[in-house]
Amino acid sequence: MRTEARVLLGLGTFFAIMDAVYWFWSKEDAGGVMIIAGTLLCFLPGLYYFWWSRRMRPRPEDDPHAEPAQGAGVVGTFPGTSIWPFTLGMASFVMVLALVFGVWLVVPGVALMFWAVVGATGESRRGGQH
Amino acid sequence: MTEVLERPAPAGGHGHEEHGPTGILKWLTTTDHKVIGLSYTVTAVVMMVIGGAFAEIIRGQLSSPNGTLVSLAQYNELFTMHGSVMIYLFAGPFAFGALANIIVPIQIGAPDMAFPRLNALSYWLYLTGSITMLSGFFVAGGAANFGWVAYAPLSSSVATPGSGADLWIGGLLLTGFSAIFTGVNLCATVFYLRAPGMTMFRMPIFTWNLLVTAILILLAFPVLTAGLIMLYADRHFGTHIFSVAGGGVPVLWQNIFWFWGHPEVYILALPFFGMVTEIIAVFSKKPVFGYKGMIFATLTIGALSLGVWAHHMFTTGTVLLPFFSIMSLLIAVPTGIKMFNWIGTMWRGQIWFSTAMLMAIGFLITFLVGGLTGIYLASPPLDFFTHDTYFVVAHFHSVVMALVLGAMGGLYYWGPKITGYLLNERIGKIQFWFLFIGTQVFTLPMYLLGLRGMPRRMAIYPQHPSWQYLNDWATVGALMIGVSTILFVVNIVYSWKRYPAGDNPWDGHTLEWFTSSPPPHHNFYRLPPIRSERPTWDYNHPEHRALEHGHHEPAVDGSVK
Ligand code: HEM
Ligand SMILES: [Cu+2]
């Protein structure tokens, strides 16, 4: 976990320095703000990982001497097949078409999206179809 | 001796066999990263063919000064949609959604992507986004015609009232979210699903590059999405963010667009850098030269890419020239490191000139041309002279055609892993020569045309003897590239289920060559111990195992620390 944190914090630090130079040199707002956003986007997860990396024992994937057997057990829950990503995709499609062909399409779009979100959440709670 | 142990089935209750639906229902409901990756690959290659067809029409129109193949209005639509299809619908999704989706989890010994359903959603958003953008050709007023960069005020509702422009915006909203979700997924997969022993500094370079790509996606794409929403608001809700009339700032659009657009260049390039790194190492029978230097260079490129956007805006007169010039020139340093490392990897290697390897070498040469001419463009005085001429078109086509070579290399290299069958090498090599020579015949005249002042985005041009033969050559090159694409399709048809690949046809280094071709559901029945960045090689060649990062003293007792 430590390397992961360092990658993000390193990038964030670079962006912070770069932004300071850019801001004081150019006095231009848009770019300065966008780089600050980039800096924060690196620091938020970076600090979180850093905080964790000091509290947890190294995982098998952080241990250069780990044996494959150490990965035994729960890797995570993986869903089987699911129709909901497709449904959600079609709902988003309808919503975007509403931008072009008329606001009324928002109604079926939102309905479909709601259905898909409810369906996907229910599926997660049941542990997925197989 | 090495010992291989079963890795038990992941939790979630099912074993390695897939008992899901079949046929179209399987395609609609799958959450398997290999099936999704294959859908991405096929869709992206189809987009490449569509974008290529537009390009051939463009070159046909330009083969004579007063071409009549298409009207002036149609020409605007064609170059806009050619650029848009190629960048948004082919190169990007191919780079981070296609082979990456299939290979990254396998390279780190993971059973799937971290969020399989989100991954499926990414694909559906990509597909529907592509359909949305292309459907612009079927509405009144035609497809978007303001160039792939949609500069204000050309993209305003006054200059471009048609719904083709709105479909372009809508398509990009969908593909933009698709990219963001893929970025989240790749980061989480790399951070949380690595196999035991697969430390960060043992990940294959391809996976490392995809991690940096994913971070760049997360930094850049939200900016584009926000910009598109502002653009839509300007067009339909009466805001004046980008229009002078209401007190807005047109050049703000350029800042926003290129704040996404330059990182996008590296979002496109880094995955292909990763592909050729793997290909060159495997076909030189050597480990990657300067493994850590390669990673450092990738991270440096990623870091710098956020501070160079306004090199596309030198001529607007509103940007801090020295800052952007210095930052852009600095990118040449890590890119140079990579070039030397690639050459170092081949140096004294036992090179096997397979089609994939030829494509990778073609990538190196073509990308070098694009990179070197990029250094010229990073210098403001030279850019003032060449901006918006064919010099720029030639520069970025050297770059993107290098990416096409890399993509083909990746398909020849990993295709057998995905399908279980090899492609024909003889047809592949002919395809390579058409693609490689065609690319140079197509781009080199365009450099000269640019230096002689021919502007880009022109459907007709003055009769000019020193322009004409150059345009003819560029068209010949474009036709050769077209032939190479046809040869690729011919090869797929000809080789269909003809040459079984086996698990490890190239004597590969990384984990994907340890499992079967195609890999089983959830990818692995067993994993080798991971002691270097080349676990499969170490397993197959215990006498030549790699020590940590390229220290190659022979291990006396056969053990590796
Ligand atoms: C057969 C291969 C190709 C040919 C013959 C070709 C040809 C051209 C030509 C002649 C133009 C200039 C049009 C003009 O300015 O009037 C152009 C523009 C462009 N091309 Fe390509 N191209 C090819 C492949 C690609 C690829 C693979 C990509 C990206 C992955 C790409 C991206 C672009 C972009 C972004 C533009 C700028 C569009 C604009 O001005 O808005 N092209 N292409
Ligand atoms: Cu750029």
Side-chain angles (χ1 to χ4, degrees), chain A residues 1 3-4 7-8 11 14-15 18 21-22 25-26 28 30-32 34-35 37-39 41-42 48-49 59-86 88-90 92-93 96-101 119-121 123-124 127 130, chain B residues 5 7-8 10-12 14 18 21 28-29 31 111-113 116-117 120-121 124-125 128 131-132 139 163 166-167 170-171 173-174 191-202 208 215 218-219 223 232 252 255-256 259 299 302-304 306-307 309 320 322-324 327 522 527-531:
Chain A
M1 208 78 264
T3 318
E4 287 88 327
V7 166
L8 290 168
L11 284 174
F14 182 89
F15 294 151
M18 186 172 81
V21 173
Y22 179 68
W25 194 358
S26 75
E28 186 264 320
M34 288 188 287
I35 308 177
T39 312
L41 205 71
C42 290
Y48 174 76
Y49 288 145
R59 305 167 298 169
E61 56 263 48
D62 300 325
D63 172 8
H65 304 290
E67 291 295 326
Q70 282 172 253
V74 180
V75 179
T77 348
F78 289 89
T81 57
S82 168
I83 191 67
W84 301 115
F86 175 74
L88 197 54
M90 291 308 129
S92 318
F93 187 31
V96 159
L97 293 183
L99 290 178
V100 184
F101 297 114
T121 315
E123 188 181 69
S124 311
H130 298 294
Chain B
L5 290 167
R7 197 182 189 192
H14 50 128
E18 203 180 357
L28 292 183
T29 60
T31 57
D112 203 313
M113 289 284 246
R117 291 186 301 176
L121 177 61
W124 297 115
L125 295 181
T128 52
I131 294 171
T132 308
V139 297
S163 48
D166 293 321
L167 287 166
L173 287 174
L174 289 170
F191 285 171
Y192 286 104
L193 286 184
R194 305 196 307 274
M198 179 60 78
T199 60
M200 287 293 274
F201 284 109
R202 280 180 187 161
W208 255 107
I215 296 174
L218 295 179
L219 290 167
V223 176
Y232 188 83
L252 176 64
N255 273 299
I256 292 175
F259 194 85
L299 284 168
L304 287 168
L306 220 64
W309 75 92
L320 185 62
F323 179 85
F324 290 106
M327 295 296 280
H522 288 163
L527 280 172
I530 297 161
R531 290 293 173 267

Side-chain angles (χ1 to χ4, degrees), chain B residues 266 301 304 327-338 371 375:
Chain B
Y266 285 99
I301 290 177
L304 287 168
M327 295 296 280
S328 307
L329 291 170
L330 276 178
I331 290 198
V333 177
T335 315
I337 293 179
K338 279 178 179 277
I375 295 180

Side-chain angles (χ1 to χ4, degrees), chain B residues 48 51-59 62 75-76 78-88 90-92 146-150 268 388-390 393-394 396-397 399-404 435 439 442 446 454-459 471 474-475 477-482 484-485:
Chain B
M48 184 188 81
F54 295 163
E56 299 296 336
I57 303 176
I58 291 175
R59 280 306 338 163
L62 294 178
Y75 188 83
N76 290 346
L78 278 173
F79 73 69
T80 300
M81 293 304 277
H82 162 69
S84 301
V85 168
M86 285 298 199
I87 299 284
Y88 302 114
F90 157 63
F146 35 50
W148 78 286
V149 295
L268 303 184
D388 259 341
T389 69
Y390 262 86
V393 177
F396 68 75
H397 278 85
V399 173
V400 294
M401 290 313 298
L403 304 188
V404 173
L435 182 56
T439 296
F442 160 59
M446 294 202 299
M454 176 155 167
R456 66 191 280 202
R457 296 174 177 153
M458 300 283 285
N471 271 308
T475 303
L479 288 173
M480 291 178 72
I481 297 170
S484 84
T485 311

Side-chain angles (χ1 to χ4, degrees), chain B residues 152-371:
Chain B
L154 266 184
S155 51
S156 73
S157 53
V158 181
T160 332
S163 48
D166 293 321
L167 287 166
W168 185 89
I169 296 174
L172 285 191
L173 287 174
L174 289 170
T175 55
F177 276 107
S178 156
I180 293 170
F181 295 155
T182 302
V184 171
N185 230 330
L186 283 169
C187 280
T189 307
V190 168
F191 285 171
Y192 286 104
L193 286 184
R194 305 196 307 274
M198 179 60 78
T199 60
M200 287 293 274
F201 284 109
R202 280 180 187 161
M203 291 196 312
I205 295 284
F206 179 68
T207 296
W208 255 107
N209 281 23
L210 258 301
L211 172 63
V212 179
T213 304
I215 296 174
L216 284 180
I217 288 177
L218 295 179
L219 290 167
F221 267 84
V223 176
L224 176 69
T225 306
L228 290 167
I229 292 171
M230 289 187 243
L231 180 59
Y232 188 83
D234 263 14
R235 289 173 59 84
H236 295 282
F237 301 148
T239 59
H240 291 282
I241 304 170
F242 303 124
S243 69
V244 188
V249 188
V251 84
L252 176 64
W253 168 260
Q254 293 192 31
N255 273 299
I256 292 175
F257 182 86
W258 288 113
F259 194 85
W260 162 81
H262 193 89
E264 165 77 355
V265 172
Y266 285 99
I267 291 168
L268 303 184
L270 289 178
F272 296 99
F273 286 0
M275 283 178 210
V276 300
T277 310
E278 307 275 309
I279 293 172
I280 288 177
V282 166
F283 291 102
S284 304
K285 285 219 178 301
K286 279 178 61 188
V288 175
F289 177 83
Y291 171 85
K292 280 203 171 160
M294 213 66 158
I295 293 168
F296 180 73
T298 306
L299 284 168
T300 317
I301 290 177
L304 287 168
S305 75
L306 220 64
V308 300
W309 75 92
H311 62 206
H312 299 273
M313 303 161 56
F314 283 155
T315 54
T316 59
T318 60
V319 302
L320 185 62
L321 298 179
F323 179 85
F324 290 106
S325 179
I326 293 168
M327 295 296 280
S328 307
L329 291 170
L330 276 178
I331 290 198
V333 177
T335 315
I337 293 179
K338 279 178 179 277
M339 280 286 166
F340 284 112
N341 282 351
W342 284 321
I343 297 170
T345 307
M346 285 191 272
W347 191 257
R348 300 218 177 142
Q350 223 175 307
I351 298 184
W352 171 6
F353 289 99
S354 66
T355 306
M357 183 65 170
L358 289 174
M359 295 285 184
I361 296 173
F363 166 93
L364 291 197
I365 297 169
T366 314
F367 196 85
L368 186 65
V369 177

